[in-house]
Amino acid sequence: CPPCNQLKATLFNRQDFAEQSKSFVAVHLDGDAPGAQKLGVKFKVVGYPTLILFSPDRKELTRLPGEVDAAQVMQLLQLGMASGRPIAAVLADARAGRPLSGGEWRLLAFYSWDTDEGAQAVPAAARGPMLRKLAAACPASEAEACSRLMLKSIADGDEKNPPSPDAATRARVAQVLADPALSRSYMDVLTNSATDIVTALQPEAGPERRKLVAEFDAALVRLQADATLSRGDRLGALFARVDLARLDQPRDTMHPKLPPALVKEVRDTAAATDREVTNAFERQAVIPGTSQLLEEAGMWKESEALLKVSRSKCHSPYYLMSELGSN
């Protein structure tokens, strides 16, 4: 699938990953393989890709999000192996108010809560309140972990009536958006949850929401231009910009009203992606996402043309065909 190919294109080809992998037994399970879903059920895997780090006695140390930056995944692998404590034990101590090390706070902050599905006995409905409590309990000395937990708690959309963040929380989010280094650190949360964060902070349309959207867009523009990010991550930033631009329009709008400059960026980016990406793994990762970006911007014919021309260049055309069917 495209997200799994993103890992092949950005993480598995890194020399430091190859070196680090000597410290563990790497097992790659293709979810489409016969019998694979039995293990998927056993380990409560419902989203792809899911990376799980186990101890030698098969205890789950941590579950890594596939959408974070490859360099951050490397740090998390090292943290997980250095800690040696199952994430369940770390979480239990945090909820009980016991002291944690800085590395353990980082493991909680980066843990893939979105793909947990109850693996740590945290039902989806309880995840938001739990993340808020962790963010509140996080010590000031672990600023990065605290801010990541705060952003994830705002972005979590499983609650029907999430509490409105206070002025201090809004100020912290504004600080993250204005600071290039901070917004780069939380790139995955900002690009994947832009509309969730905005609607949580400013539920009603109006001047305050427009101000926040403008601040968000400025941060996303920087991420979109950041050459240290993968092409897939930069595409994600542009996708988030389109989502924010159509935030106050009906969700099922087929031809949203977007700023002409943004429409041109989408068209130019799609053309550049098709022209420049030749690596098979990277192409499988970004072409479906590019076609979805075109759809989100209301460019249905351009999306269809890209999908059709890409079929002969793709090692798994099923994902292109399903997108054509969706169109």
Side-chain angles (χ1 to χ4, degrees), residues 246 249-256 300:
R246 54 181 293 167
Q249 301 176 50
R251 185 59 239 171
D252 59 354
T253 298
M254 296 291 289
H255 298 283
W300 299 93

mmCIF file of all heavy atoms in Angstrom, residues 246 249-256 300:
data_model
loop_
_atom_site.group_PDB
_atom_site.id
_atom_site.type_symbol
_atom_site.label_atom_id
_atom_site.label_comp_id
_atom_site.label_asym_id
_atom_site.label_seq_id
_atom_site.Cartn_x
_atom_site.Cartn_y
_atom_site.Cartn_z
ATOM 1 N N ARG A 246 -10.910 24.870 2.444
ATOM 2 C CA ARG A 246 -12.306 24.504 2.207
ATOM 3 C C ARG A 246 -13.034 24.174 3.510
ATOM 4 O O ARG A 246 -14.095 23.562 3.496
ATOM 5 C CB ARG A 246 -12.386 23.333 1.220
ATOM 6 C CG ARG A 246 -11.578 22.102 1.591
ATOM 7 C CD ARG A 246 -11.716 21.011 0.536
ATOM 8 N NE ARG A 246 -13.072 20.485 0.496
ATOM 9 C CZ ARG A 246 -13.551 19.705 -0.470
ATOM 10 N NH1 ARG A 246 -12.787 19.371 -1.495
ATOM 11 N NH2 ARG A 246 -14.785 19.262 -0.430
ATOM 12 N N GLN A 249 -16.678 25.292 3.871
ATOM 13 C CA GLN A 249 -17.565 24.880 2.792
ATOM 14 C C GLN A 249 -18.110 23.491 3.124
ATOM 15 O O GLN A 249 -17.493 22.729 3.873
ATOM 16 C CB GLN A 249 -16.806 24.857 1.461
ATOM 17 C CG GLN A 249 -16.201 26.207 1.092
ATOM 18 C CD GLN A 249 -15.363 26.152 -0.172
ATOM 19 O OE1 GLN A 249 -15.800 25.645 -1.201
ATOM 20 N NE2 GLN A 249 -14.153 26.692 -0.104
ATOM 21 N N PRO A 250 -19.272 23.116 2.585
ATOM 22 C CA PRO A 250 -19.817 21.776 2.856
ATOM 23 C C PRO A 250 -18.805 20.693 2.507
ATOM 24 O O PRO A 250 -18.122 20.761 1.485
ATOM 25 C CB PRO A 250 -21.048 21.709 1.948
ATOM 26 C CG PRO A 250 -21.465 23.131 1.776
ATOM 27 C CD PRO A 250 -20.189 23.916 1.756
ATOM 28 N N ARG A 251 -18.704 19.680 3.369
ATOM 29 C CA ARG A 251 -17.697 18.644 3.200
ATOM 30 C C ARG A 251 -17.844 17.911 1.865
ATOM 31 O O ARG A 251 -16.859 17.455 1.279
ATOM 32 C CB ARG A 251 -17.820 17.647 4.370
ATOM 33 C CG ARG A 251 -16.782 16.561 4.440
ATOM 34 C CD ARG A 251 -15.390 17.123 4.557
ATOM 35 N NE ARG A 251 -14.532 16.686 3.463
ATOM 36 C CZ ARG A 251 -13.332 17.157 3.215
ATOM 37 N NH1 ARG A 251 -12.819 18.094 3.954
ATOM 38 N NH2 ARG A 251 -12.625 16.721 2.204
ATOM 39 N N ASP A 252 -19.068 17.776 1.358
ATOM 40 C CA ASP A 252 -19.289 17.020 0.119
ATOM 41 C C ASP A 252 -19.251 17.912 -1.127
ATOM 42 O O ASP A 252 -19.682 17.504 -2.201
ATOM 43 C CB ASP A 252 -20.615 16.270 0.176
ATOM 44 C CG ASP A 252 -21.804 17.197 0.387
ATOM 45 O OD1 ASP A 252 -21.585 18.406 0.595
ATOM 46 O OD2 ASP A 252 -22.941 16.705 0.360
ATOM 47 N N THR A 253 -18.717 19.121 -1.004
ATOM 48 C CA THR A 253 -18.589 20.009 -2.157
ATOM 49 C C THR A 253 -17.665 19.373 -3.196
ATOM 50 O O THR A 253 -16.519 19.025 -2.887
ATOM 51 C CB THR A 253 -18.017 21.377 -1.730
ATOM 52 O OG1 THR A 253 -18.912 21.988 -0.813
ATOM 53 C CG2 THR A 253 -17.824 22.288 -2.930
ATOM 54 N N MET A 254 -18.144 19.225 -4.415
ATOM 55 C CA MET A 254 -17.351 18.590 -5.464
ATOM 56 C C MET A 254 -16.331 19.553 -6.080
ATOM 57 O O MET A 254 -15.265 19.143 -6.514
ATOM 58 C CB MET A 254 -18.273 18.073 -6.566
ATOM 59 C CG MET A 254 -19.231 16.984 -6.113
ATOM 60 S SD MET A 254 -18.385 15.445 -5.722
ATOM 61 C CE MET A 254 -17.911 14.904 -7.359
ATOM 62 N N HIS A 255 -16.680 20.845 -6.133
ATOM 63 C CA HIS A 255 -15.795 21.847 -6.745
ATOM 64 C C HIS A 255 -15.649 23.015 -5.773
ATOM 65 O O HIS A 255 -16.321 24.041 -5.910
ATOM 66 C CB HIS A 255 -16.354 22.305 -8.087
ATOM 67 C CG HIS A 255 -16.451 21.194 -9.085
ATOM 68 N ND1 HIS A 255 -15.361 20.695 -9.760
ATOM 69 C CD2 HIS A 255 -17.518 20.460 -9.498
ATOM 70 C CE1 HIS A 255 -15.746 19.717 -10.563
ATOM 71 N NE2 HIS A 255 -17.044 19.549 -10.415
ATOM 72 N N PRO A 256 -14.779 22.849 -4.765
ATOM 73 C CA PRO A 256 -14.639 23.885 -3.734
ATOM 74 C C PRO A 256 -14.073 25.176 -4.315
ATOM 75 O O PRO A 256 -13.355 25.178 -5.316
ATOM 76 C CB PRO A 256 -13.665 23.251 -2.740
ATOM 77 C CG PRO A 256 -12.878 22.283 -3.556
ATOM 78 C CD PRO A 256 -13.835 21.729 -4.566
ATOM 79 N N TRP A 300 -10.982 16.895 -10.814
ATOM 80 C CA TRP A 300 -11.286 15.480 -11.030
ATOM 81 C C TRP A 300 -10.680 14.941 -12.323
ATOM 82 O O TRP A 300 -10.166 13.823 -12.356
ATOM 83 C CB TRP A 300 -12.801 15.288 -11.016
ATOM 84 C CG TRP A 300 -13.390 15.680 -9.703
ATOM 85 C CD1 TRP A 300 -13.905 16.899 -9.355
ATOM 86 C CD2 TRP A 300 -13.469 14.874 -8.530
ATOM 87 N NE1 TRP A 300 -14.305 16.901 -8.042
ATOM 88 C CE2 TRP A 300 -14.052 15.662 -7.511
ATOM 89 C CE3 TRP A 300 -13.111 13.558 -8.235
ATOM 90 C CZ2 TRP A 300 -14.286 15.183 -6.231
ATOM 91 C CZ3 TRP A 300 -13.347 13.076 -6.960
ATOM 92 C CH2 TRP A 300 -13.925 13.883 -5.974
#
